[in-house]
Amino acid sequence: MKIFLDTANLESIKKFNDMGLLDGITTNPSLMYKEGGNPKDAMEEITKIIKGDVSLEVLSTEYSGMVEEGKRLRQHGDNVVVKVPMTPDGLKACKSLSSEGIPVNVTLIFSANQALLAAKSGAKYVSPFIGRLDDVGQNGMELISEIKEIFSNYNFGTQILVASVRHPLHVVDAAKIGADVVTLPPGVLDKMMLHPLTKIGLGNFLADWEKMKSGNPDVKI
Ligand code: G3P
């Protein structure tokens, strides 16, 4: 399963990229707003740091504007994936951009039918927002299972990019279902690394080493 980071924060991107964890980045206008500064500079920088796919979202809501913005966003790098909303115009833009070889991520997916239509339109990725479904009392992970089954039934090449991930258990469940990608807020990726027994175990190893050194101060590795 690929791991993308869901952020426009350069510090976090560099931090996790240095650990070799990142296969790509997803951004959206809210994440850009959160970081402040000039979003164009951030886009430029992110596409340079990350070799994998970087989703940058259009702001226009009508077809021709989306296509125009998509082409402009793509100038930031060959790894740019144009993110369009799941609307009729978004699907038309998806078809048009995909036909020209520009990869598209259809975002704000909340139903299996929406994912099916986005795949039909040629999307490289569909982004179901599971946390937001959980928020309104629907089971977000069930949607991932449904989409997985549908895409497998018809051998769609479209990848399932699990978005709106809120905690590490979402990641485990998405991986068990076989989702292609999870996009994670930095905080979730931080939590995935931790386990109390790792901390306790390391503390014990170091304490025992100190005890050994007290009997033999010259011991080294
Ligand atoms: O990738 C989509 C994500 O940014 C939305 O997450 O937590 O705002 O639902 P959230």
Side-chain angles (χ1 to χ4, degrees):
M1 185 175 59
K2 284 181 275 188
I3 293 180
F4 289 2
L5 202 62
D6 196 27
T7 188
N9 183 280
L10 296 178
E11 209 179 303
S12 297
I13 291 171
K14 284 180 194 148
K15 169 180 150 184
F16 293 113
N17 195 44
D18 285 349
M19 295 177 196
L21 297 177
L22 300 186
D23 299 297
I25 299 289
T26 51
T27 64
N28 61 38
S30 305
L31 293 171
M32 289 287 176
Y33 168 70
K34 194 172 154 198
E35 295 310 317
N38 184 343
K40 263 191 166 181
D41 295 342
M43 290 175 188
E44 200 69 53
E45 192 70 19
I46 295 169
T47 49
K48 269 197 216 122
I49 301 169
I50 296 292
K51 299 274 170 286
D53 283 352
V54 175
S55 284
L56 302 177
E57 189 158 342
V58 299
L59 294 167
S60 179
T61 53
E62 50 80 35
Y63 163 71
S64 52
M66 285 189 208
V67 171
E68 193 193 309
E69 286 177 8
K71 287 181 180 173
R72 230 180 306 136
L73 289 171
R74 180 77 177 169
Q75 285 170 8
H76 288 295
D78 286 345
N79 54 344
V80 169
V81 174
V82 177
K83 212 170 174 189
V84 304
M86 175 57 219
T87 60
D89 280 59
L91 291 183
K92 196 173 163 191
C94 175
K95 161 86 175 107
S96 185
L97 291 164
S98 302
S99 309
E100 289 188 45
I102 298 176
V104 177
N105 174 357
V106 179
T107 189
L108 291 166
I109 298 268
F110 292 97
S111 76
N113 275 332
Q114 288 181 322
L116 173 61
L117 298 179
K120 294 284 291 180
S121 293
K124 177 168 183 180
Y125 298 105
V126 288
S127 291
F129 277 29
I130 59 167
R132 293 193 192 180
L133 280 171
D134 291 352
D135 288 346
V136 296
Q138 282 178 254
N139 188 331
M141 206 50 72
E142 271 173 19
L143 174 60
I144 303 305
S145 298
E146 279 185 312
I147 300 172
K148 176 75 185 168
E149 188 180 343
I150 292 166
F151 284 9
S152 303
N153 284 347
Y154 299 101
N155 288 323
F156 281 116
T158 303
Q159 296 179 44
I160 305 171
L161 194 167
V162 181
S164 185
V165 171
R166 300 281 169 76
H167 50 72
L169 202 50
H170 272 155
V171 183
V172 175
D173 288 340
K176 279 156 78 177
I177 292 168
D180 303 281
V181 191
V182 283
T183 189
L184 307 177
V188 172
L189 201 37
D190 273 327
K191 283 183 193 154
M192 283 168 65
M193 285 185 230
L194 303 177
H195 195 286
L197 291 178
T198 305
K199 198 173 171 194
I200 292 168
L202 182 58
N204 290 341
F205 287 155
L206 296 177
D208 286 341
W209 188 259
E210 285 307 313
K211 281 183 223 156
M212 184 163 62
K213 266 177 62 181
S214 66
N216 180 1
D218 295 332
V219 73
K220 278 201 174 63
I221 52 165

